Amino acid sequence: MHKGGEILLAGLVGRGIALSRTPAMHMAEGEAQGLHAAYRLLDADRLSQPLPALLDAAEMMGFNGLNVTYPFKIDVLPLLDELSVNASAVGAVNTVAFRNGRRFGHNTDLWGFAEGFRRGLPDAARDHVLLLGAGGAGVAVAHALAGLGVAQLSIFDTDAQRAGALAEQVSAGGPGCDAVAVSDVAGLIRAARPDGVVNATPMGMAKLPGTALDIGLLQPSMWVADIVYFPLETELLRAARALGCRVLPGSGMAVFQAVRAFELFTGRAADPSRMKATFDAFDRPGDATQDTKI
Ligand code: NAD
């Protein structure tokens, strides 16, 4: 048994995770803090074990915890003892902490986006925000936006049912945020001029070029956030920047979800700038990854 904080033993459970940046961020931060650090990839494709067996194995081996990614963020819920407020709100878990024989589920994607926003777009107006994409990440972002004080959240997804379900979920979460699904983005922007737009669709990824929003609809007064982080400067952000909009790249959410997870694993504060430097190192020529999982 380790004494609190002396080791970091953690891992990432998911599929197609070979190029994830998360292990490197945790390893470098752990080592910089003088911990004995080991971060393992529990790739369900390679291990061909069901999720419960992977969790059991990690817990039995004395792991501090696990990060959980596609396609297990919802499947993991019934395997846990307790959920944080954020994980309950989102209905998905990306971080599991093992403590005293119990399993605690957290959603650090939510905090990750919120913290990235607070630091990257301080003082940005947020009365009305347009969210594009209501998939796995979009759900966490929507709740983060509600927590950031967004009063009106308009949600567009090509899958209208998803947008509707998320709008209901967010609105039911508290009186502060009125979320509605929208189908006519152009009409909404012309009529209501949202303060900002967040892209939580995969559009703009290196392997999925383009934009979910017609860039002709951008207004210089809007801020524009993208959670896609490969490339960091998506077509949407490039167009927004050229127009004079304030922009927020996807690296903030990716780094801060790991910052919070490190704290949950070790009980120690992580250094965000150090974790960001590890994250950024992947973008050096020759190190690039197109992986969609963090
Ligand atoms: P997902 O497949 O679960 O959801 C994507 C959603 O976008 C779907 O509901 C889909 O219908 C919708 N969509 C697709 N094209 C659209 C369009 N043109 N207009 C409107 N809606 C559209 O994917 P996900 O897990 O939510 O991930 C989305 C993106 O976010 C990926 O590129 C992923 O890499 C990125 N991501 C980033 C972070 C981060 O920390 N920065 C974290 C998680 C995911």
Side-chain angles (χ1 to χ4, degrees), residues 73 109 132-138 156-159 162 199-203 205 211-213 226-229 250-255 257 291-294:
K73 289 183 181 182
D109 287 333
L132 305 166
F156 174 72
D157 195 298
T158 41
D159 181 336
R162 278 195 183 178
N199 175 48
T201 80
M203 295 296 297
M205 294 175 68
T211 58
L213 180 75
D226 206 324
I227 69 162
V228 169
Y229 60 84
S251 50
M253 178 177 180
V255 170
Q257 64 77 27
D291 189 46
T292 59
K293 295 21 157 248
I294 308 156

Side-chain angles (χ1 to χ4, degrees), residues 49-197:
Q49 292 288 327
L51 181 63
L54 295 174
L55 252 77
D56 287 347
E59 190 173 26
M60 201 161 33
M61 298 288 285
F63 276 47
N64 306 76
L66 291 171
N67 287 123
V68 181
T69 189
Y70 176 85
F72 297 132
K73 289 183 181 182
I74 295 172
D75 294 355
V76 77
L77 293 174
L79 306 174
L80 306 175
D81 295 303
E82 278 186 43
L83 293 183
S84 71
V85 172
N86 284 353
S88 297
V90 176
V93 158
N94 78 325
T95 303
V96 176
F98 298 120
R99 294 271 181 285
N100 305 321
R102 291 179 67 76
R103 298 167 173 183
F104 298 88
H106 300 268
N107 190 302
T108 72
D109 287 333
L110 190 166
W111 187 82
F113 179 83
E115 188 64 10
F117 187 97
R118 281 187 285 266
R119 295 187 185 220
L121 287 175
D123 310 323
R126 56 188 87 157
D127 287 337
H128 181 193
V129 174
L130 169 63
L131 172 64
L132 305 166
V139 176
V141 169
H143 286 277
L145 289 166
L148 285 163
V150 169
Q152 191 185 344
L153 183 63
S154 299
I155 304 173
F156 174 72
D157 195 298
T158 41
D159 181 336
Q161 266 190 329
R162 278 195 183 178
L166 180 56
E168 267 183 40
Q169 192 193 22
V170 171
S171 293
C177 183
D178 181 20
V180 290
V182 296
S183 53
D184 177 10
V185 168
L188 175 91
I189 289 181
R190 289 196 195 100
R193 297 274 176 121
D195 299 307
V197 181

